[in-house]
Amino acid sequence: MSEHLLDIENLKVSFHTYAGEVQAVRGVSLKVNAGECIAVVGESGSGKTVTSKAVLGLIAEPPGEIKKDSRILFEGKNILDFTEKEWRNFRGKDAAMIFQDPMTSLNPTMKVGKQIMESILLHNKISKQEAKERAIELLRQVNIPNPEDRLNQYPYEFSGGMRQRVVIAIALACNPKLMIADEPTTALDVTIQAQIMKLLKEIQKKNNTAVIMITHDLGVVAGMAEYITVMYAGCVVESGKVEEIFHNPQHPYTSALLKAVPNMENENKSELQIIPGTPPDLIMPPKGCGFASRCRYCMGICKEQSPDFTHVSESHKAACWLHHPMAKKVLGTEDIRRVLENE
Amino acid sequence: MVKYILKKIIYMIVTLWIILTVTFFLMYSMPGDPTQASAKVLPEAVQKNLEAKWGLDKPLGEQYVIYLKNLIHGNMGESYMTPGLTANQAIEERFPASLQLGLQAVAVSLILGLILGILAAFNRGKWIDFVTIFIAILGVSIPSFVFAALLQKYAAGGIFPIIGWVTEGMGLADIFKYTALPTMAAAISGIATYSRFMRSSVLDVLGADYILLAKSKGCSRFQIIWRHVMRNAITPIISIVAPQIAAIVTGSFVIERIFSIPGLGRYYVDSVNGRDYPMILATTLFFSMIFIICMVGMDILYAVVDPRVRKSIIDGN
C-alpha cells in the first residue's frame, strides 16, 4: 500500500515515572524512502532518540509505553505488532543502529572481530570462517587499516573515531535497508566528525541504504541529508528538503535553530544567537503549540490549540499558526513574510 | 608474565614473613604460657623441664631465630598439647575437612548467589527481587552459628545427622547427608553477599550502551545475558569472592565446632586456648598462605576476564 520503506504514523511514546507520565513523543509522522537519507533535528529531549529507538523496538516496556494508535510500517508491515522472534530477525538485518557514544557502545570484554561476527552469524547461515572474512571486509570498508590484526583486538585498543567505525561496521554487517545513526558524531572531535560523516555518506550511496540521521547539529546534516525533519517537544514542527529548510524555514523554531548555528565566516563577530527559555515539561505538555512559550511571534491561539501542518510545497510543511489565513489578517501578510524570512 | 608471577611470589614470601613475625611476638605477649595451660597444675620442676625441652627458657630473640631456621628447613615444630604430633601432620590431617566444607560452601553460595542476583536484576521490583532482598538481609544479619543451630533443630534428625562428618569409605549419598547442613550454614552469608553484589552489577551492565547495541543486532535475551552481561558483570564480583573464599576455607571454626567437624579451624582455636605455640604459628602461616594464594588467583582471574587488565600485566605496569 505504500511505496515508503519506513512510514511512521502518529507515533506516541510515553514513559511512566514516579513524577508522572512523560509524553516523550506526541504524534510523530515520518516517511523514509529506500536509499534516501533524512535528518531528524531537534534539541535534547525533543523525542528524536525515542522515535528512533521505537523503530528498532528498543523501548523498554515498562517504563515506556507505545500508544495503541501508533503505527510504524516497514515495507508495509506494522512492526509494532511484531513478536519477539520477528523483532530479533528484523533488528540488525533489516534495520541497524549506530549509537552516540562509541566509547561505551562496544562490549569491553569481547574482541572487536567477534562483535562484528556476532551480528553476521545471527542472521546468516554461514561458517565462522566466512563470517570472519566478511568482518575483515567490513573493517576495510569502514577504512580501518590492518583489518586482519585489528579483528583480534579489544575495544580499548581503538581510539574513539576508530570505535565508531567499528560500530558502523557492525551496523553494516547484514546490509540493512535502514540505518539509524543516533548522533553518531557528537562524542567525537570535529576532524573525526567530518571523516565519519563522509564515510556514512559513501556507505549510503554505495549500498543504497536508507539513513535516518539524528542530530542536534544542523551543520552536520547539510551535506548529507536530502530531507530534514525538525522536532520540538515530542512533535514534528517542520519538514522538507534540505534547501527548503535552510533557505526558507517556515517555523519560528527552525529559523531560530538556524540562527543558533555558529558561523565561522561571520566577520562581524556578532554574538551567537540563542533561543531563550527551556522546552516545556512533557509530563504536562502544553495544550497548544509546544514552542509557544519561547516563540517571539506567539499569538493567543498558539497557547490554546496546537497547529496543523500547512503545506508550503509538495515536500515542505510546517506546523505553525502564522500560516493560518486569520494570522495574516491579524499581522498582515508583509509582517508574516518578514517574520518567516528572519526579518 | 613470568616477571609478574615472580614478583607476586616474592611479595608473598615477604608478606608471610611479616605475618609470622607479628604473630610470633603477639603470641608471646599473651598472658599465660603452655606449661600452665593444661587443667593440671604441674610441679615447678616439671615446668622447668618442659620449658627447657621446648626451648622456652631461651631469650625471645633467640627463640625467634631458631624458629625461622627450622621453618626454612620445612620444620614447623611439634605440638605441645599432643606430644609427637608435628604441625605438618596436624595440618595434613585436619585441613581436608575444612577444605571440603569450604569449597562446598563457596560453590553453593556462588551458584545460588549469582543466579539469585541475576534473576533479581532481570525482575527488578517483582516478587523474586523481594525474595532475594529478604534472603540477603537474613543472611547478612543472622550469624552463621545461629543459622547452624536452627538447621540442627529443624532440619536435622531425619535424613541429616545432627553432628559428624565424612569418614573414609563413605558413599556419595552419605557424604551428602553429612555435609549438607554444615555447607548450608557456611554458605548463607555468601549467598546473601553475592546475590546483592551480582544484582547491582548486572543492573549496571544492563544500562550500558553495548547491551542496547547487542539488542539492536538481534541478540536474544539469553544471548545477551550469556555473551554480554555475564562477563562484564562478574568482574566486580571477583574482588569480593577471593577474600571470602579464603575466609570460608580457613575460618569456619564456629561451624566446625557446632557440627563436630574435625577441621583445621576448630584446631586453630584449640591451640590458641592451649597456648600451643608451634601450632598457632603453623596454622596462622598456613591460613595466610591460602589467603594470599586466593588473592593472587583473583589477580589472574581478573586478567582472564578483563582484557584491559591482561594488557597491563603483560606490559608490566
Side-chain angles (χ1 to χ4, degrees), chain A residues 223-234:
Chain A
M224 169 116 191
E226 291 142 58
Y227 292 91
I228 294 181
T229 294
V230 183
M231 281 184 72
Y232 186 81

Side-chain angles (χ1 to χ4, degrees), chain A residues 44-154:
Chain A
S44 310
S46 60
K48 46 196 199 310
T49 299
V50 175
T51 306
S52 64
K53 279 187 179 167
V55 174
L56 277 178
L58 294 177
I59 290 180
E61 292 178 88
E65 186 200 350
I66 297 175
K67 299 285 179 192
K68 279 219 171 59
D69 48 352
S70 311
R71 288 208 305 169
I72 302 179
L73 301 178
F74 186 86
E75 294 184 323
K77 258 187 296 184
N78 189 1
I79 58 178
L80 293 177
D81 296 336
F82 271 1
T83 62
E84 188 50 39
K85 206 176 160 209
E86 287 172 310
W87 268 123
R88 286 210 304 272
N89 279 329
F90 173 77
R91 292 183 193 130
K93 188 168 166 237
D94 290 328
M97 193 149 175
I98 299 164
F99 291 91
Q100 185 170 353
D101 187 356
M103 303 314 266
T104 57
S105 52
L106 290 171
N107 183 345
T109 59
M110 200 190 240
K111 283 179 184 165
V112 159
K114 215 172 158 193
Q115 298 194 44
I116 302 173
M117 281 159 64
E118 185 181 29
S119 187
I120 302 170
L121 289 169
L122 275 170
H123 299 292
N124 299 295
K125 283 198 172 127
I126 57 172
S127 72
K128 276 200 170 162
Q129 191 53 42
E130 287 169 299
K132 197 175 170 181
E133 278 156 24
R134 170 95 180 112
I136 292 174
E137 188 193 309
L138 282 165
L139 285 179
R140 196 167 286 134
Q141 204 181 339
V142 294
N143 300 332
I144 291 185
N146 305 325
E148 290 86 355
D149 301 332
R150 288 298 220 167
L151 212 59
N152 288 317
Q153 289 184 332
Y154 288 94

Side-chain angles (χ1 to χ4, degrees), chain A residues 259-303:
Chain A
K259 276 192 259 174
V261 176
N263 185 357
M264 303 291 255
E265 278 112 43
N266 189 342
E267 295 189 353
N268 305 331
K269 297 223 162 46
S270 61
E271 257 181 60
L272 195 61
Q273 296 237 13
I274 56 160
I275 308 173
T278 50
D281 181 359
L282 293 180
I283 291 177
M284 278 185 289
K287 220 176 0 166
C289 169
F291 191 59
S293 61
R294 301 168 80 181
C295 183
R296 291 169 66 184
Y297 317 108
C298 179
M299 301 176 290
I301 182 75
C302 299
K303 292 187 169 163

Side-chain angles (χ1 to χ4, degrees), chain A residues 161-207:
Chain A
M162 283 294 169
R163 286 190 209 193
Q164 195 61 303
R165 286 167 197 270
V166 172
V167 175
I168 293 172
I170 292 173
L172 285 176
C174 300
N175 278 326
K177 294 172 191 135
L178 175 68
M179 220 159 51
I180 299 174
D182 185 2
E183 309 206 18
T185 59
T186 308
L188 305 171
D189 62 54
V190 183
T191 45
I192 308 295
Q193 267 186 26
Q195 290 173 15
I196 295 287
M197 290 310 291
K198 192 170 157 242
L199 176 68
L200 280 174
K201 195 174 175 179
E202 276 169 21
I203 286 163
Q204 185 230 341
K205 289 273 172 295
K206 205 169 124 199
N207 299 4

Side-chain angles (χ1 to χ4, degrees), chain B residues 7-267:
Chain B
K7 205 167 82 182
K8 285 276 166 190
I9 290 174
I10 292 170
Y11 280 161
M12 182 169 141
I13 292 170
V14 172
T15 316
L16 282 178
W17 173 70
I18 294 172
I19 291 171
L20 172 80
T21 310
V22 170
T23 318
F24 189 88
F25 291 103
L26 274 180
M27 193 173 70
Y28 279 91
S29 64
M30 270 197 302
D33 69 60
T35 54
Q36 293 163 355
S38 65
K40 270 186 284 179
V41 180
L42 299 171
E44 203 157 315
V46 179
Q47 276 193 28
K48 282 265 179 294
N49 268 341
L50 279 176
E51 274 177 14
K53 185 189 171 200
W54 294 335
L56 295 175
D57 51 350
K58 297 191 179 87
L60 200 54
E62 202 183 325
Q63 287 186 39
Y64 175 68
V65 175
I66 292 172
Y67 185 82
L68 273 190
K69 266 189 196 158
N70 286 336
L71 186 67
I72 289 167
H73 293 106
N75 176 11
M76 293 197 283
E78 208 173 275
S79 168
Y80 295 167
M81 290 193 304
T82 330
L85 179 74
T86 65
N88 302 47
Q89 280 171 338
I91 290 174
E92 262 169 53
E93 251 172 51
R94 297 294 189 128
F95 186 58
S98 294
L99 182 68
Q100 187 183 354
L101 173 61
L103 288 185
Q104 279 182 219
V106 168
V108 168
S109 56
L110 263 183
I111 292 170
L112 287 183
L114 295 189
I115 290 176
L116 273 178
I118 293 168
L119 285 178
F122 275 92
N123 299 287
R124 183 157 60 153
K126 295 189 190 139
W127 65 270
I128 193 150
D129 194 14
F130 292 113
V131 169
T132 315
I133 293 173
F134 184 68
I135 293 175
I137 292 172
L138 284 189
V140 167
S141 50
I142 299 181
S144 60
F145 60 86
V146 174
F147 197 68
L150 286 174
L151 278 176
Q152 279 181 324
K153 180 152 170 50
Y154 294 107
I159 349 165
F160 303 114
I162 295 180
I163 56 166
W165 189 246
V166 183
T167 48
E168 246 175 89
M170 267 189 184
L172 267 180
D174 277 336
I175 293 180
F176 173 74
K177 271 188 216 164
Y178 276 96
T179 58
L181 296 188
T183 304
M184 270 319 288
I188 183 79
S189 78
I191 295 176
T193 319
Y194 301 150
S195 63
R196 292 316 284 164
F197 271 91
M198 194 61 185
R199 177 185 181 270
S200 58
S201 184
V202 168
L203 282 179
D204 265 1
V205 172
L206 282 181
D209 284 349
Y210 55 85
I211 296 301
L212 210 56
L213 181 74
K215 206 175 170 193
S216 79
K217 277 182 198 173
C219 284
S220 69
R221 206 175 147 95
F222 179 77
Q223 285 164 333
I224 291 177
I225 298 174
W226 188 245
R227 292 188 200 155
H228 298 278
V229 176
M230 280 303 277
R231 200 167 179 156
N232 288 297
I234 216 137
T235 328
I237 307 290
I238 294 174
S239 59
I240 60 158
V241 171
Q244 281 219 334
I245 289 180
I248 215 162
V249 166
T250 56
S252 43
F253 55 82
V254 180
I255 304 231
E256 285 177 9
R257 182 141 269 228
I258 292 175
F259 287 100
S260 277
I261 299 165
L264 197 57
R266 198 176 130 204
Y267 195 66

